[in-house]
């Protein structure tokens, strides 16, 4: 899963062992980036 | 009901008009009004594909805003119910995305107004999307309403009955719409909607003229007024023939 560290703004890859923590700066707040897929929405 | 209607324009502009129709029943007048609001097919955006949206609003909110942008509607028969027209938008901040930024793949279907704001984008934000417009009716979704602010009033006849008593205070008499004065049509806005301005010191009587209605019609820019009214009448005729065919087994 790809996230972005909210402190150092670097891209972070998380695996199931490392826990939720930025490997570069140790910050525990990570942000999920929007995927690059095209999203189709109906007008309602 | 008489076979011929007498139609007279009081005000006439591209998107807004006021006209008098004589010789229609109240039921038919209301039928025309309802047809103008709900039964005239117009183009509107129905699905949006977001390539990038880093603005502060959700995709769904922007899709709704894009759907409500009035689009010009091609002549009858030019488009089928399931055909689509693709429009695209690509705006990068700092800027405001306007309806005029929508680029259409078809010259017949374009935003009716260029200045409808969609979203304000700050530095680094970007909106890139592709949208499909379809033709449909106002009764299915309000975005397909061609006629907006459609209404009618009775034509009112004003008759002077005599002078007011000498020492009586003049009271204002507010009416709205269009009055008929010796066959001449006068909009009440010409005398500030107050009959005491037009007939000072007179006692007047107002009555509705039977079967004469003054329509006030405004379109969203999909087509001119004349188109809207004639297409509305056509939809009524269509449904009437449909009913006729259905009952003749």
């Amino acid at each position: 899963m790809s996230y972005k560290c909210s402190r150092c703004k670097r891209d972070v890859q998380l695996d199931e062992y490392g826990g939720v923590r930025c490997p570069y700066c140790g910050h525990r707040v990570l942000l999920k980036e929007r995927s690059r897929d095209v999203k189709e929405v109906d007008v309602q | 009901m008489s076979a011929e209607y007498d139609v007279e324009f009081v005000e006439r502009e591209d998107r807004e008009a006021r006209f008098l129709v004589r010789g229609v029943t109240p039921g038919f007048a209301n039928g025309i009004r309802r047809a103008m609001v709900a039964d005239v097919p117009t183009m509107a955006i129905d699905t949006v594909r977001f390539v990038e949206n880093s603005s502060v609003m959700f995709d769904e909110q922007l899709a709704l805003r894009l759907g409500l942008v009035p689009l010009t509607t091609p002549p009858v028969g030019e488009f089928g119910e399931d055909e689509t027209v693709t429009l695209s938008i690509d705006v990068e901040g700092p800027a405001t995305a306007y309806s005029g930024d929508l680029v259409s793949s078809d010259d017949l279907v374009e935003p009716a107004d260029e200045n409808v704001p969609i979203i304000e984008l700050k530095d680094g934000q970007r909106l890139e999307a592709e949208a499909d417009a379809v033709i449909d009716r106002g009764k299915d979704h309000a975005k397909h309403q061609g006629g907006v602010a459609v209404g009618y009033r009775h034509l009112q006849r004003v008759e002077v009955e005599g002078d007011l008593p000498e020492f009586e205070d003049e009271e204002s008499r507010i009416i709205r719409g269009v009055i008929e004065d010796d066959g001449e049509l006068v909009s009440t806005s010409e005398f500030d909607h107050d009959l005491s301005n037009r007939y000072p010191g007179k006692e007047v009587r107002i009555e509705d003229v039977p079967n004469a209605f003054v329509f006030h019609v405004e379109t969203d820019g999909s087509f001119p007024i004349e188109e809207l009214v004639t297409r509305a009448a056509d939809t009524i005729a269509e449904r009437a023939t449909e009913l006729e065919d259905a009952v003749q087994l």
Side-chain angles (χ1 to χ4, degrees), chain A residues 1 13-23 28:
Chain A
M1 298 284 263
Q13 294 292 326
L14 284 191
D15 55 33
E16 54 197 291
Y17 310 111
V20 181
R21 171 165 252 179
C22 172
R28 284 185 180 276

Side-chain angles (χ1 to χ4, degrees), chain B residues 84-160:
Chain B
T84 58
V85 176
T86 308
L87 297 105
S88 59
I89 188 166
D90 187 355
V91 183
E92 205 170 338
T96 304
Y98 288 98
S99 59
D101 296 319
L102 283 162
V103 184
S104 174
S105 62
D106 194 320
D107 291 343
L108 290 172
V109 181
E110 271 175 346
D113 294 293
E114 309 253 286
N115 55 356
V116 182
I118 294 164
I119 189 162
E120 195 182 318
L121 298 164
K122 295 293 182 198
D123 199 20
Q125 297 178 344
R126 180 150 172 260
L127 173 66
E128 187 184 350
E130 221 175 67
D132 288 338
V134 295
I135 198 158
D136 214 333
R137 277 152 241 277
K139 60 181 165 195
D140 287 306
H141 197 294
K143 68 188 173 183
H144 291 291
Q145 281 187 8
V148 289
V150 183
Y152 60 85
R153 277 170 197 275
H154 255 118
L155 176 68
Q156 293 171 98
R157 190 186 290 132
V158 177
E159 273 166 42
V160 179

